Amino acid sequence: MTPQKIRVLIVDDFADTRESIAKLLYFERDIEVVGSAGSGPQGIQTAKDLKPDVILMDINMPGMDGIAATEAIYAELPECEVIMMSVQGEPDYLRRAMLAGAREYLTKPFTGDELAGSIRHVNELVTEKRGRMAAVVKPLPAAPPPVPQPSLPSRVVSVFSPKGGVGKTTVATNLAVALRMATNKKVALVDASLIFGDIGIMLNITTGNSISDLVPNIHAVDIELLDRVLVQHSSGVKVLLAPPRPELAELVAADHLRTVVNLLRSHYDYVVIDTHPNFDDVTLAMLDISDRIVVLTTLEMPAIKNLKLFLEVAEALEYPPEKLLLAINRADSTGGIVAEDIEKNIRVKIAATIVSSGQMMLTAANQGVPVIIAERDSQVSRNLMDLAKQLMTEEDLQAVAARAVEQAKQSREAKPSRGLGKLRFPVLMPFTSKKGGD
Ligand SMILES: Nc1ncnc2c1ncn2[C@@H]1O[C@H](COP(=O)(O)OP(=O)(O)OP(=O)(O)O)[C@@H](O)[C@H]1O
Ligand SMILES: [Mg+2]
């Protein structure tokens, strides 16, 4: 049996370019040009009709450009791969093309060998990806009872840092639990750090459910389906875990997560998202969709250098300044760098600081119990609760403040000889177990 040819679609607004690319590939025995299109929308439609293996996409087209067309194609045809083509001198396009999910980037003019080599390489990825997609589909767990509607509006909050290991997962997990504890509202926690997701470990959740379960049914996902995949933590926070294996993570696209977060947004009061320290398309989609971004850093030079870079990206993406909430983790471990100097240098106000508490955090992570539950009265928990308060709606904040006053009154009446006592943040959730996960 002769092996199947690699089916290629060419999308370029210049007819001459389409023709010369087709000519370059004419003598390649294993490659067949199955179609061509002269614009982004036409490219999307032709891709849907012909389902090619590889799409050669011109980046710079009038109207819908190659990047927008690529995003649309990946949303509908995740098994295709795109090679982006561009003329020299468009370095910014390269970054955006990669963010849109393009697998390779060819600079015009290219030789026939370069083009064919690139197509073959990308096609290997398609074949591999299709094999994995076929293996992924698995039955969904049994349906739970219907979920009551929350009191809207909801808030979507991402915890992000352009540097790894600064405490994103720790902070995201504790923030979600803090929001739940203080407000008793519906809180969802999404692990969008798809390959190295740690939220399951941090909350001691051992179920196999993850966002991967939704991918094969993504166009039919509704809140009931989603609730079957969410896992309830003992705090009441509903958790959407990252895929259990890296090869499954690769099948989760930005659009999948966008669909899921939009659905959560209309059914939960707070949606907290843990992210990956990168500017990949999934992370950018999460940052775009968020109402607030907790930008986390530590006081180390590499972290601060990356923070500056991120602030430039945020500006280029036209995020309003109030969307970003700068938080310094391990703020008392300075190594000589002073938080105020950073503030002056990057001209962004520090909204919150979180102290370092190595042993407590270590125990919390190892036992899978967030520090805000295990060590509720510690300084680090207070810092985390203060940050959570900055993310609350005005209505929730007022309710929390009113309860704090009420609790202070009660404790004064109960112990008149000891004065007002310390004002603690009010906690509504009774915790029966120190272990997370159920
Ligand atoms: N305030 C803190 N005090 C002490 N240790 C902390 C603090 N915050 C986080 N840590 C510790 O720092 C380590 C990294 O934290 P975490 O996994 O939350 O970082 P991350 O930014 O999510 O990392 P990655 O980029 O790999 O996803 C963990 O061991 C965690 O316990
Ligand atoms: Mg993490």
Side-chain angles (χ1 to χ4, degrees):
M1 201 175 84
T2 43
Q4 276 203 336
K5 290 191 176 189
I6 306 170
R7 303 173 70 253
V8 173
L9 168 67
I10 304 168
V11 186
D12 197 301
D13 55 323
F14 285 104
D16 287 355
T17 313
R18 296 197 298 272
E19 212 172 290
S20 46
I21 292 174
K23 272 187 196 150
L24 282 177
L25 296 172
Y26 191 76
F27 292 107
E28 302 297 338
R29 289 181 171 192
D30 55 338
I31 297 172
E32 181 186 6
V33 175
V34 291
S36 67
S39 69
Q42 209 189 335
I44 299 167
Q45 190 52 52
T46 317
K48 278 195 224 165
D49 295 342
L50 300 176
K51 299 201 170 43
D53 300 309
V54 176
I55 301 170
L56 299 170
M57 177 77 74
D58 182 34
I59 204 162
N60 208 347
M61 292 184 286
M64 178 187 250
D65 68 8
I67 292 170
T70 299
E71 280 174 342
I73 287 171
Y74 276 134
E76 300 233 7
L77 300 166
E79 67 277 18
C80 287
E81 291 292 0
V82 173
I83 297 175
M84 202 67 90
M85 306 179 293
S86 170
V87 288
Q88 271 166 353
E90 296 172 320
D92 183 49
Y93 275 148
L94 168 63
R95 189 183 75 87
R96 289 177 54 217
M98 292 303 156
L99 293 178
R103 278 295 179 174
E104 292 215 2
Y105 192 91
L106 281 175
T107 306
K108 294 177 193 168
F110 36 74
T111 65
D113 282 350
E114 279 169 342
L115 179 61
S118 192
I119 291 172
R120 287 190 191 103
H121 176 237
V122 164
N123 184 59
E124 279 170 25
L125 299 172
V126 182
T127 317
E128 209 184 292
K129 195 160 151 187
R130 283 185 180 157
R132 285 203 306 270
M133 282 180 106
V136 161
V137 185
K138 69 170 191 179
L140 288 160
V147 196
Q149 294 298 303
S151 50
L152 298 174
S154 73
R155 289 239 161 136
V156 178
V157 178
S158 280
V159 180
F160 175 73
S161 165
K163 170 88 174 61
V166 301
K168 292 178 297 300
T169 307
T170 306
V171 170
T173 307
N174 280 284
L175 276 184
V177 175
L179 286 166
R180 169 72 184 175
M181 283 162 73
T183 65
N184 206 20
K185 293 278 180 76
K186 291 187 70 179
V187 180
L189 175 61
V190 176
D191 196 342
S193 179
L194 295 173
I195 298 183
F196 298 110
D198 286 332
I199 283 184
I201 295 276
M202 293 278 198
L203 292 178
N204 194 20
I205 296 172
T206 49
T207 157
N209 288 14
S210 83
I211 185 161
S212 294
D213 302 328
L214 297 169
V215 170
N217 301 300
I218 197 72
H219 294 298
V221 171
D222 56 14
I223 194 64
E224 269 104 54
L225 195 58
L226 181 52
D227 263 311
R228 277 147 69 186
V229 174
L230 293 173
V231 185
Q232 179 155 332
H233 180 250
S234 60
S235 60
V237 172
K238 293 285 192 85
V239 186
L240 184 61
L241 293 175
R245 295 196 310 277
E247 68 271 21
L248 292 176
E250 214 193 296
L251 300 177
V252 183
D255 261 330
H256 300 150
L257 266 163
R258 222 179 267 127
T259 304
V260 167
V261 173
N262 276 330
L263 199 53
L264 287 171
R265 186 199 280 281
S266 51
H267 290 81
Y268 282 75
D269 297 285
Y270 295 97
V271 181
V272 179
I273 305 171
D274 185 22
T275 58
H276 187 57
N278 208 327
F279 295 129
D280 56 26
D281 53 346
V282 166
T283 306
L284 280 184
M286 294 302 92
L287 299 183
D288 280 347
I289 212 171
S290 295
D291 301 306
R292 310 296 294 276
I293 301 169
V294 174
V295 185
L296 200 63
T297 187
T298 49
L299 293 174
E300 299 160 282
M301 275 327 283
I304 290 157
K305 183 207 83 190
N306 288 9
L307 171 67
K308 274 175 126 176
L309 279 178
F310 170 65
L311 293 174
E312 281 169 29
V313 172
E315 203 180 331
L317 294 171
E318 295 179 359
Y319 291 165
E322 62 276 14
K323 179 166 171 166
L324 308 182
L325 230 137
L326 178 62
I328 312 281
N329 194 17
R330 316 189 76 158
D332 47 343
S333 306
T334 68
I337 299 178
V338 182
E340 286 70 32
D341 290 346
I342 304 294
E343 219 169 32
K344 270 186 227 144
N345 188 267
I346 59 174
R347 286 196 228 103
V348 177
K349 262 204 109 30
I350 296 170
T353 53
I354 301 161
V355 294
S356 192
S357 56
Q359 191 52 49
M360 265 183 222
M361 286 298 194
L362 189 64
T363 312
N366 287 349
Q367 295 186 348
V369 186
V371 74
I372 203 145
I373 296 175
E375 302 285 351
R376 221 177 65 189
D377 287 328
S378 62
Q379 182 60 42
V380 71
S381 295
R382 285 173 193 283
N383 291 157
L384 287 160
M385 186 53 84
D386 284 344
L387 179 54
K389 283 183 188 165
Q390 297 191 50
L391 299 166
M392 285 178 198
T393 60
E394 199 51 43
E395 183 200 352
D396 283 344
L397 201 54
Q398 280 175 13
V400 168
R403 272 196 302 274
V405 171
E406 191 53 37
Q407 281 186 3
K409 238 197 248 166
Q410 280 171 9
S411 86
R412 190 179 44 190
E413 281 160 14
K415 302 174 201 159
S417 60
R418 299 178 73 184
L420 256 178
K422 265 189 187 166
L423 257 181
R424 293 174 57 196
F425 56 79
V427 171
L428 298 172
M429 292 300 301
F431 289 102
T432 47
S433 149
K434 278 203 137 198
K435 279 268 170 203
D438 49 17

Coordinates of all heavy atoms in Angstrom, one line a residue, residues 164-170 198 202 277 329-330 354-358 361-362 365 380, ligand 1:
G164 N 8.8 31.4 36.9 CA 8.3 30.2 37.6 C 8.7 30.2 39.1 O 9.6 30.8 39.5
G165 N 7.9 29.4 39.9 CA 8.3 29.1 41.2 C 8.2 30.2 42.2 O 8.7 30.1 43.3
V166 N 7.4 31.3 41.9 CA 7.3 32.4 42.8 C 6.1 32.2 43.8 O 6.0 33.0 44.7 CB 7.2 33.8 42.1 CG1 8.4 34.0 41.3 CG2 5.9 33.9 41.4
G167 N 5.3 31.2 43.6 CA 4.2 31.0 44.5 C 2.8 31.1 44.0 O 1.9 31.2 44.7
K168 N 2.7 31.1 42.6 CA 1.4 31.2 42.0 C 0.4 30.2 42.5 O -0.7 30.6 42.8 CB 1.5 31.1 40.5 CG 2.3 32.1 39.8 CD 2.4 31.9 38.3 CE 3.1 30.6 38.0 NZ 4.5 30.6 38.4
T169 N 0.8 28.9 42.4 CA -0.2 27.9 42.8 C -0.6 28.0 44.3 O -1.7 27.9 44.6 CB 0.4 26.5 42.5 OG1 0.8 26.5 41.1 CG2 -0.6 25.4 42.7
T170 N 0.4 28.3 45.1 CA 0.2 28.5 46.5 C -0.8 29.6 46.7 O -1.8 29.5 47.5 CB 1.5 28.9 47.3 OG1 2.5 27.9 46.9 CG2 1.3 28.9 48.7
D198 N -0.3 21.8 39.7 CA 0.0 21.3 41.0 C -1.2 21.4 41.9 O -1.1 21.0 43.1 CB 1.1 22.1 41.7 CG 2.4 21.8 41.1 OD1 2.6 20.7 40.6 OD2 3.3 22.7 41.1
M202 N -1.7 20.3 45.9 CA -1.8 21.3 46.9 C -3.1 21.1 47.7 O -3.2 21.5 48.9 CB -1.9 22.7 46.3 CG -0.6 23.1 45.7 SD 0.6 23.7 46.9 CE 1.7 24.6 45.9
P277 N 3.9 30.1 33.9 CA 4.7 31.3 33.8 C 5.3 31.4 32.4 O 6.4 31.2 32.1 CB 5.9 31.0 34.8 CG 6.0 29.5 34.9 CD 4.6 29.0 34.7
N329 N 5.4 38.2 46.9 CA 5.4 37.0 47.8 C 6.8 36.9 48.5 O 7.8 37.4 47.9 CB 5.1 35.8 47.0 CG 4.8 34.6 47.8 OD1 4.5 34.8 49.0 ND2 4.9 33.4 47.3
R330 N 6.8 36.4 49.6 CA 8.0 36.2 50.5 C 8.6 37.6 50.6 O 9.8 37.8 50.4 CB 8.9 35.2 49.8 CG 8.2 34.0 49.3 CD 9.1 32.9 48.9 NE 9.6 32.2 50.1 CZ 10.1 31.0 50.1 NH1 10.1 30.3 49.0 NH2 10.6 30.5 51.2
I354 N 3.0 39.4 50.9 CA 2.8 38.1 51.6 C 4.1 37.7 52.3 O 5.2 37.6 51.5 CB 2.3 37.0 50.7 CG1 1.0 37.5 50.0 CG2 2.1 35.7 51.3 CD1 0.7 36.7 48.7
V355 N 4.1 37.4 53.5 CA 5.4 37.1 54.2 C 5.9 35.7 53.8 O 5.1 34.9 53.4 CB 5.3 37.2 55.7 CG1 5.1 38.6 56.2 CG2 4.3 36.2 56.3
S356 N 7.1 35.5 54.1 CA 7.7 34.2 53.8 C 7.4 33.3 55.1 O 7.5 33.8 56.2 CB 9.2 34.3 53.6 OG 9.7 33.1 53.2
S357 N 7.0 32.1 54.8 CA 6.8 31.2 56.0 C 7.1 29.8 55.5 O 6.2 28.9 55.4 CB 5.3 31.3 56.4 OG 4.5 31.0 55.3
G358 N 8.4 29.6 55.3 CA 8.9 28.3 54.7 C 8.3 27.0 55.3 O 7.7 26.2 54.6
M361 N 4.5 26.6 54.9 CA 4.1 26.3 53.5 C 4.5 24.9 53.1 O 3.8 24.3 52.3 CB 4.8 27.4 52.6 CG 4.2 28.7 52.6 SD 2.5 28.7 52.1 CE 2.2 30.4 51.9
L362 N 5.7 24.5 53.6 CA 6.2 23.2 53.2 C 5.2 22.1 53.8 O 4.8 21.2 53.0 CB 7.6 23.0 53.8 CG 8.3 21.8 53.4 CD1 8.6 21.8 51.9 CD2 9.6 21.7 54.2
A365 N 1.9 22.2 51.8 CA 2.0 21.6 50.5 C 2.1 20.1 50.6 O 1.5 19.3 49.9 CB 3.2 22.2 49.7
V380 N 1.0 34.8 57.4 CA 0.9 34.6 56.0 C -0.6 34.4 55.6 O -1.1 34.9 54.6 CB 1.7 33.4 55.6 CG1 1.2 32.0 56.1 CG2 1.9 33.3 54.1
Ligands
LIG1 N1 5.0 32.9 51.2 C1 5.7 31.8 51.1 N2 6.6 31.4 52.0 C2 7.3 30.3 51.9 N3 7.3 29.5 50.9 C3 6.4 29.8 49.9 C4 5.6 30.9 49.9 N4 4.9 30.9 48.8 C5 5.2 29.8 48.1 N5 6.1 29.1 48.8 C6 6.8 27.9 48.3 O1 7.5 28.1 47.1 C7 7.4 27.0 46.3 C8 6.9 27.3 45.0 O2 5.5 27.6 45.1 P1 4.4 27.4 44.0 O3 4.5 26.0 43.5 O4 3.1 27.9 44.5 O5 5.0 28.3 42.9 P2 4.5 28.5 41.4 O6 4.8 29.9 41.0 O7 3.2 28.0 41.2 O8 5.5 27.5 40.6 P3 5.4 27.1 39.0 O9 5.9 28.2 38.2 O10 6.4 25.9 39.0 O11 4.0 26.7 38.8 C9 6.6 25.9 47.1 O12 7.5 25.1 47.7 C10 5.8 26.8 48.1 O13 5.5 26.0 49.2

